[in-house]
Amino acid sequence: MNYQILYPEAFPVVECHLTRGEKIKAESDAMIAMSATIDVEGKMEGGILKGLMRKVMAGESFFFQELVASRGDGTVLFGHSRPGGILDVELDGSYGLMVQKNGFLAGTQGIEVDTKMQNLSRGLFSGEGFFILNITGKGTVFVSSYGVIHPINLEAGEEFIIDNGHLVAWPSYMNYNIEKASSGWISSFTSGEALVCRFKGPGTVLIQTRNPGGFKDWIRSMIPASSGGSGSSGLSSLLSSDD
């Protein structure tokens, strides 16, 4: 499958060129436009149990879109709803890609999407919950973000500290720990960072240049607390929901 990421620095979309019989799966509602030779339908990959795990535990869609070039070659455009980047990651089947909630956008044939349970401390403090996505198989994965995606390449033994709200994806073989941002709890909280993730190389960690939680907090600060209008009430309800 040939593809290109258009407008990579501002509201990107992926343009995929499928030959007859080729298919690609994407998050629900990811398709923007497609050739008349292509069919799209909802697929529940892995059965009801795995679909429920993705929806309830990881906060992802119950169904995927499957786009198939059924009647000849065709083109598909897809993207995501947030103002942020899209990056392609090639998997060779030797390891998985751990992806934060809402980070998976699409994958080519041979890519499987499952949930993985984190240990107790990571689940409580990572900001991603007890379950994250585990992408495996051979093919291309498209991950999405809030803000631009920036890769941090670590050599063997090299360590890097990352704010947990900025994580997008990392290879399954990388080790990381959750820890205080500063030496003491009071200093950690007053610095505004609290808990961070310490990754150890080798490997590449993908981060997003903006924090979705920080954006929601900023929007909340702009809404008067005593406002009784239906519009602001609806917005407050939206912001209080777990995206």
Side-chain angles (χ1 to χ4, degrees):
M1 184 193 72
N2 295 317
Y3 67 89
Q4 56 181 327
I5 299 176
L6 307 175
Y7 326 113
E9 296 300 326
F11 303 101
V13 297
V14 181
E15 183 180 67
C16 294
H17 303 284
L18 305 178
T19 59
R20 184 166 190 161
E22 275 193 311
K23 63 180 69 174
I24 187 169
K25 69 179 126 193
E27 269 294 275
S28 177
D29 201 33
M31 192 274 291
I32 298 172
M34 64 183 184
S35 301
T37 55
I38 293 176
D39 291 325
V40 59
E41 58 182 273
K43 289 285 187 178
M44 187 171 55
E45 182 173 308
I48 294 177
L49 181 59
K50 286 192 175 182
L52 284 172
M53 289 282 285
R54 285 194 303 270
K55 179 65 177 178
V56 178
M57 303 301 183
E60 294 289 324
S61 300
F62 189 81
F63 293 97
F64 288 116
Q65 289 183 338
E66 185 176 78
L67 301 117
V68 186
S70 302
R71 293 177 298 281
D73 299 350
T75 299
V76 177
L77 293 171
F78 60 85
H80 62 99
S81 58
R82 299 181 304 280
I86 297 174
L87 186 70
D88 51 329
V89 179
E90 293 294 327
L91 294 181
D92 62 6
S94 64
Y95 64 92
L97 185 69
M98 314 308 296
V99 180
Q100 64 139 3
K101 173 184 168 183
N102 296 324
F104 172 77
L105 179 62
T108 59
Q109 290 176 263
I111 292 297
E112 296 184 5
V113 183
D114 206 346
T115 53
K116 180 179 178 64
M117 186 175 183
Q118 303 192 89
N119 63 34
L120 180 62
S121 62
R122 289 178 180 176
L124 284 172
F125 301 124
S126 67
E128 301 301 333
F130 287 103
F131 290 85
I132 55 177
L133 294 181
N134 181 28
I135 316 296
T136 57
K138 296 180 68 174
T140 305
V141 180
F142 298 94
V143 293
S144 61
S145 68
Y146 175 49
V148 177
I149 298 177
H150 174 71
I152 298 178
N153 301 306
L154 301 181
E155 300 293 335
E158 183 181 2
E159 295 184 339
F160 217 81
I161 296 171
I162 300 170
D163 180 282
N164 53 30
H166 288 266
L167 283 172
V168 175
W170 60 95
S172 59
Y173 56 77
M174 287 192 76
N175 293 318
Y176 73 98
N177 294 308
I178 308 294
E179 59 185 47
K180 301 186 299 292
S182 302
S183 57
W185 282 109
I186 294 177
S187 181
S188 292
F189 281 105
T190 56
S191 71
E193 293 299 333
L195 295 167
V196 294
C197 299
R198 181 186 292 269
F199 280 85
K200 186 174 183 179
T204 299
V205 184
L206 301 178
I207 66 171
Q208 54 194 3
T209 58
R210 296 293 180 267
N211 186 333
F215 178 69
K216 290 170 69 174
D217 291 341
W218 178 77
I219 291 293
R220 286 194 187 99
S221 72
M222 305 296 289
I223 302 173
S226 60
S227 175
S230 60
S232 61
S233 175
L235 181 56
S236 298
S237 299
L238 177 63
L239 289 171
S240 64
S241 65
D242 189 12
D243 295 334

